[in-house]
Amino acid sequence: VSTLIYSRIDFCSALLKGFSVKDKKGLQKVQNSMTRFIFGQRRRRGVTELRKRVHFLPIKERIDYKICLLVHNIQNGLCPDYLADLVDRREKKTKNMELK
């Protein structure tokens, strides 16, 4: 169940970043229902502890994590060329400071 849902969320995480709070709440409800289903819990039970047990990040944090992971992979050459070509990479400029 989680693989099916998360594959869809992760596939378009960059687009989801721009979603409204209302839309993200809807996705959070889907994740909460999935978590309850996995544990066979009723709707009234809170899911925060259950999410921790299965190592699920809340939707907002999961979207942020996936975007950070994508940027990390681009900067370290771990992604396909077509993604790396979309990013303007700038080299860090370091100032050589001499102590006197």
Side-chain angles (χ1 to χ4, degrees), residues 64-82:
D64 291 343
Y65 169 77
K66 287 298 183 173
I67 291 173
C68 289
L69 181 63
L70 179 63
V71 170
H72 170 79
N73 287 342
I74 289 171
Q75 290 199 345
N76 291 296
L78 303 172
C79 67
D81 290 337
Y82 72 92

Side-chain angles (χ1 to χ4, degrees), residues 26-82:
L27 288 173
Q28 188 63 58
K29 287 181 181 181
V30 170
Q31 184 193 49
N32 293 348
S33 295
M34 176 182 64
T35 304
R36 285 188 191 98
F37 176 77
I38 290 170
F39 286 99
Q41 298 295 321
R42 298 189 184 274
R43 184 170 170 85
R44 302 259 183 224
R45 170 110 192 247
V47 296
T48 303
E49 288 302 317
L50 298 176
R51 267 199 326 257
K52 287 179 184 177
R53 286 176 51 193
V54 289
H55 305 285
F56 289 168
L57 288 172
I59 292 297
K60 182 185 177 305
E61 284 81 6
R62 185 172 180 89
I63 292 168
D64 291 343
Y65 169 77
K66 287 298 183 173
I67 291 173
C68 289
L69 181 63
L70 179 63
V71 170
H72 170 79
N73 287 342
I74 289 171
Q75 290 199 345
N76 291 296
L78 303 172
C79 67
D81 290 337
Y82 72 92

